[in-house]
């Protein structure tokens, strides 16, 4: 368990162990959210955004008929040259 003290301005210092676990660096933003059971969770906002984007794109490649690196290259060629090469 780690303990942090809140300053008069509402600021806290995140303990080093927690910064390491969340891969937090100077200037990073942290996200606070409450789960349905009332528990408060702290997360690295960047990591959370990446996970959300990954979830949003799940299945997009398959929906476009892309199943391999070769399919990706064909799509790139089509966009670059207006036809498959």
């Amino acid at each position: 368990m780690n303990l942090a003290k809140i300053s008069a301005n509402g600021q806290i210092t995140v303990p080093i162990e927690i910064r390491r676990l969340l891969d937090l660096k100077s200037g990073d933003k942290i996200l606070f959210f409450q789960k349905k059971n009332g528990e408060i969770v702290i997360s690295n906002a960047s990591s959370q955004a990446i996970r959300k984007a990954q979830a949003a794109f799940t299945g997009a490649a398959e929906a476009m008929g892309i199943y391999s690196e070769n399919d990706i290259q064909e799509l790139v060629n089509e966009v670059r040259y207006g036809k498959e090469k």
Side-chain angles (χ1 to χ4, degrees):
M1 180 185 297
N2 289 284
L3 185 65
K5 184 178 178 182
I6 300 175
S7 75
N9 293 330
Q11 297 172 324
I12 62 169
T13 299
V14 179
I16 187 69
E17 296 87 3
I18 303 303
R19 291 195 313 263
R20 287 180 182 150
L21 284 170
L22 296 176
D23 193 27
L24 293 171
K25 313 244 180 329
S26 179
D28 283 352
K29 295 182 180 185
I30 55 176
L31 179 66
F32 297 85
F33 59 95
Q34 186 174 12
K35 294 170 90 174
K36 290 181 181 178
N37 66 1
E39 181 181 2
I40 303 295
V41 178
I42 301 171
S43 176
N44 182 325
S46 297
S47 297
Q48 189 73 14
I50 289 169
R51 283 192 292 276
K52 206 171 191 179
Q54 286 174 329
F57 287 111
T58 298
E62 291 84 0
M64 294 179 64
I66 298 172
Y67 298 98
S68 68
E69 287 183 32
N70 189 46
D71 292 338
I72 294 170
Q73 188 60 54
E74 288 178 10
L75 179 61
V76 168
N77 290 342
E78 185 177 330
V79 170
R80 281 187 183 159
Y81 308 113
K83 60 182 177 178
E84 292 185 25
K85 267 197 159 185

